[in-house]
Amino acid sequence: MERSLADWTAPPAPDGAVLEGRYARLERLDAARHAALLFREIDGHDRLWDYLGYGPFASAAQYHRWVREVAAGDDPLFYAIQTRDGGVFGGVASFLRITPDMGVIELGHINLSPALQGTRAATEAFYLMMAWAFDAGYRRFEWKCDAGNMPSRRAAQRLGLSFEGVFRQHMIVKGRNRDTAWFAATDTDWPALKEAFGVWLSPGNFDASGQQRERLSDLTRLVRVSRDPALETR
């Protein structure tokens, strides 16, 4: 779609500032502060690394070295995810392929402990990163994953990102072929998505036992411009 960008200004690159919500708090990843705490939550759960290009890590020291290396960079820029209720650091996520001059940024390198997966804190962490990007002026927010990683594809669609296709034989990861599924949301999608997240994250959307009253996937469904066909029968 042709659209004049004569008045558009390139946004800043993310600087790692703390992102804080009702359920989650994100800090820029730091080996001294976070590595031991994160390893305690993920140790022994080797399947968490199946679709990542690194890991699993055999020891806390090995994981600490990896965190020290990746935390030193600005692209990817890694965050540690902390739950607000228990103060537990249970996962990481990053901004990557940061392209301010085109207004494009990606969310990736997601690794969540079993205790953090499926929680309000995990969803809010992704929301906080999306909100930062669009509030900063980015035009496009991307999510890419191994096409065989159905939980990741479901997560992207649930968050309101639209399916854009599969890049065949896109990468080689750990000696295996990787076809890559692409998802994205744009700044024109964001106002409606932000409203959907606001409804879902509201305390009133959860009963006394913590069960959701409205599903986020239902709230974002009308915003998405396309659906992932691989999820139709799953």
Side-chain angles (χ1 to χ4, degrees), residues 162-234:
S162 297
F163 176 71
E164 295 186 337
V166 172
F167 279 40
R168 298 176 299 157
Q169 299 185 187
H170 179 225
M171 301 172 68
I172 299 172
V173 178
K174 294 178 177 175
R176 305 188 306 265
N177 174 66
R178 170 174 147 165
D179 297 344
T180 300
W182 288 51
F183 298 81
T186 68
D187 54 354
T188 55
D189 304 328
W190 178 239
L193 286 178
K194 185 175 182 179
E195 184 175 346
F197 277 107
V199 172
W200 191 84
L201 290 166
S202 170
N205 188 43
F206 299 89
D207 64 22
S209 65
Q211 294 298 307
Q212 62 185 351
R213 293 190 166 94
E214 291 194 74
R215 299 191 307 170
L216 183 59
S217 57
D218 291 336
L219 293 167
T220 61
R221 178 171 52 84
L222 295 179
V223 185
R224 299 190 305 263
V225 300
S226 57
R227 178 177 172 82
D228 184 348
L231 302 179
E232 294 289 346
T233 58
R234 294 174 183 264

Side-chain angles (χ1 to χ4, degrees), residues 10-222:
D15 60 5
V18 170
L19 306 177
E20 193 158 5
R22 181 179 285 115
Y23 309 109
R25 186 175 190 273
L26 281 67
E27 300 178 2
R28 183 162 184 173
L29 184 64
D30 175 81
R33 177 163 168 74
H34 304 123
L37 298 173
L38 287 164
F39 187 75
R40 186 170 64 193
E41 298 299 313
I42 62 176
D43 185 27
H45 301 288
D46 288 358
R47 293 195 65 183
L48 297 175
W49 309 96
D50 283 355
Y51 293 106
L52 293 169
Y54 41 83
F57 298 93
S59 67
Q62 190 181 79
Y63 183 69
H64 188 281
R65 286 193 296 272
W66 177 81
V67 171
R68 188 173 66 243
E69 290 172 3
V70 299
D74 293 322
D75 188 353
L77 189 147
F78 275 83
Y79 280 97
I81 303 170
Q82 182 184 33
T83 60
R84 290 286 306 275
D85 55 358
V88 176
F89 284 98
V92 301
S94 77
F95 288 124
L96 70 154
R97 295 188 175 87
I98 303 162
T99 315
D101 58 335
M102 296 296 173
V104 179
I105 196 166
E106 182 178 340
L107 170 61
H109 293 286
I110 298 165
N111 190 262
L112 307 181
S113 71
L116 184 58
Q117 293 176 17
T119 65
R120 279 176 270 183
T123 296
E124 187 178 52
F126 301 145
Y127 162 73
L128 290 170
M129 295 181 75
M130 292 178 70
W132 183 89
F134 286 120
D135 289 349
Y138 283 84
R139 307 173 55 238
R140 176 177 167 85
F141 186 90
E142 297 180 334
W143 176 302
K144 304 186 186 84
C145 63
D146 189 306
N149 187 350
M150 301 313 297
S152 186
R153 293 174 73 159
R154 281 192 293 272
Q157 182 160 282
R158 174 176 174 269
L159 294 172
L161 281 71
S162 297
F163 176 71
E164 295 186 337
V166 172
F167 279 40
R168 298 176 299 157
Q169 299 185 187
H170 179 225
M171 301 172 68
I172 299 172
V173 178
K174 294 178 177 175
R176 305 188 306 265
N177 174 66
R178 170 174 147 165
D179 297 344
T180 300
W182 288 51
F183 298 81
T186 68
D187 54 354
T188 55
D189 304 328
W190 178 239
L193 286 178
K194 185 175 182 179
E195 184 175 346
F197 277 107
V199 172
W200 191 84
L201 290 166
S202 170
N205 188 43
F206 299 89
D207 64 22
S209 65
Q211 294 298 307
Q212 62 185 351
R213 293 190 166 94
E214 291 194 74
R215 299 191 307 170
L216 183 59
S217 57
D218 291 336
L219 293 167
T220 61
R221 178 171 52 84
L222 295 179

